[in-house]
């Protein structure tokens, strides 16, 4: 399997964790999202929509980090990224999507660039935007997870799931951009548990082949 | 089953279509997202995070439209919202998530409000933002679907799926905000097919009990 990744992409980070948790070896090909040349070449040769992350194997090119995790789960169910039980699975997916739909898209590189270049906001205003949505979203996720009665060492019980794959990269970015995250003790405790697992450590942006 | 909905919410519209396609009857309870009173009451009585749409049944309260659709699919597989085949399922999920993660979050009511009230943009600038992200995202979805070799009358072949549940509400909103959508012939043809199905027609915002 091939993984098209960018070390700093939050969505690629999710997929790297999921692959590691599953124990699936993937040959990583870096596509630098900030330098001018790699993305046009990737669009020409691999994915016309330029979607990162993507994986490629016998089923072709698969995009969208949450769709990739669902695919990995169906292709190799063990160890699972989703718990047993319909209610439990819905809870994990909802937590994952709280990050993937409600937080990350607003803090994306292309959005921050648009605020700066097209709307003329200075870096301070862009940073304020970033912190607003990330802190707002993490606050809702904290309440959702803490109030669920379903969390344990991880978002669901004592095994990592799709939701932890989404949470950890979002917290990594929140720290990088100096968001106030002290108010989210449940999420921080889960993050600390994840940091103890090799699957999460080896997916960290700082240890990727294309890390700067 | 109970559905907490708001007639104009794009995510609630997705869930209404999915319920109709499955033939699952749900008692609809409207939560007006613009009037000042309903949301606090909903937060107090039902969902502390105030997440709309939500469904409630024997498995408790389930939130996040994509998680709700996956739940409905697992609870009642027939008729399916996902095709057979791992690659095909990944394609449908990716198309659904292109809308749910890459388009809709940037065109959300709370984001448009923030641009206006916190960042001081006038209505023209807010509308330009809206059209930019919706047209950009639909353009990528058009290329993704048209280039997949997998579309037919619907996003995948000749049966509606999770992806159509996401596409139709997004196009409805795009029209409402005067986005330029003529450049997306594949998506428009699928939208026209969907408009011929009772499941989609009865989920339309204009025929909901809380429609204004």
């Amino acid at each position: 399997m091939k993984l098209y990744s960018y070390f700093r992409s939050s969505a690629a980070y999710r997929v790297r964790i999921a692959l590691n948790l599953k124990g699936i070896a993937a040959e990583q090909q870096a596509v630098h999202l900030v330098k001018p040349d790699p993305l046009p070449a990737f669009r020409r040769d691999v994915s016309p929509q330029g979607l990162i992350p993507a994986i490629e194997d016998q089923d072709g090119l698969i995009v969208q980090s949450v769709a990739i995790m669902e695919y990995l789960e169906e292709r190799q169910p063990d160890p699972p990224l989703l718990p047993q039980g319909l209610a439990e699975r819905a809870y994990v997916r909802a937590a994952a999507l709280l990050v993937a739909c409600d937080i990350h898209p607003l803090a994306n590189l292309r959005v921050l660039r648009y605020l700066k270049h097209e709307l003329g906001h200075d870096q301070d205003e862009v940073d304020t935007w970033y912190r607003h949505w990330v802190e707002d979203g993490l606050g809702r996720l904290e309440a959702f997870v803490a109030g669920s009665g379903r969390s344990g060492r991880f978002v669901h019980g004592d095994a990592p799931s799709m939701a932890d794959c989404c949470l950890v990269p979002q917290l990594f970015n929140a720290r990088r951009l100096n968001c106030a995250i002290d108010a989210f003790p449940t999420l921080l405790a889960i993050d600390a548990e994840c940091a103890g697992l090799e699957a999460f450590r080896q997916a960290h942006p700082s240890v990727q082949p294309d890390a700067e």
Side-chain angles (χ1 to χ4, degrees), chain A:
Chain A
M1 188 180 292
K2 200 175 218 172
L3 166 67
Y4 297 95
S5 173
Y6 172 54
F7 77 107
R8 199 168 266 166
S9 154
S10 182
Y13 190 178
R14 292 174 199 156
V15 173
R16 291 195 301 263
I17 299 167
L19 286 165
N20 292 347
L21 285 170
K22 292 278 186 196
I24 298 174
E27 180 205 337
Q28 210 181 117
Q29 184 168 325
V31 182
H32 202 292
L33 294 184
V34 179
K35 289 182 186 162
D37 295 335
L39 198 53
F42 177 67
R43 284 180 187 269
R44 185 192 62 223
D45 298 337
V46 184
S47 164
Q49 291 82 50
L51 297 164
I52 292 286
I55 61 168
E56 198 168 25
D57 70 355
Q58 75 260 34
D59 286 316
L61 190 76
I62 293 168
V63 296
Q64 286 288 339
S65 62
V66 174
I68 293 171
M69 290 192 288
E70 296 276 1
Y71 168 79
L72 295 175
E73 183 73 356
E74 295 186 342
R75 179 167 154 186
Q76 186 191 299
D78 198 50
L81 294 176
L82 287 170
Q84 295 293 310
L86 297 197
E88 290 75 11
R89 295 164 74 81
Y91 160 72
V92 166
R93 285 187 171 117
L97 292 162
L98 267 163
V99 175
C101 296
D102 289 4
I103 305 177
H104 178 65
L106 295 165
N108 221 336
L109 191 58
R110 63 189 182 124
V111 174
L112 306 181
R113 279 178 175 163
Y114 189 90
L115 286 166
K116 202 164 183 176
H117 301 305
E118 269 77 3
L119 292 183
H121 291 291
D122 62 27
Q123 192 59 48
D124 266 5
E125 289 169 319
V126 173
D127 290 349
T128 301
W129 163 281
Y130 186 97
R131 288 190 205 108
H132 171 77
W133 295 114
V134 170
E135 291 169 9
D136 174 78
L138 287 175
R140 281 192 283 164
L141 183 62
E142 168 77 21
F144 180 71
V145 172
S148 70
R150 291 195 161 106
S151 68
R153 289 174 52 212
F154 299 97
V155 172
H156 180 266
D158 293 328
S161 70
M162 218 174 263
D164 304 282
C165 295
C166 291
L167 170 65
V168 167
Q170 192 63 63
L171 281 173
F172 169 77
N173 277 345
R175 285 193 186 92
R176 210 164 64 85
L177 278 289
N178 298 313
C179 295
I181 57 174
D182 288 352
F184 316 131
T186 312
L187 303 183
L188 292 177
I190 293 167
D191 186 59
E193 284 288 340
C194 292
L197 297 185
E198 205 54 35
F200 285 80
R201 279 205 295 266
Q202 293 189 1
H204 196 277
S206 65
V207 298
Q208 299 316 301
D210 58 329
E212 283 162 7

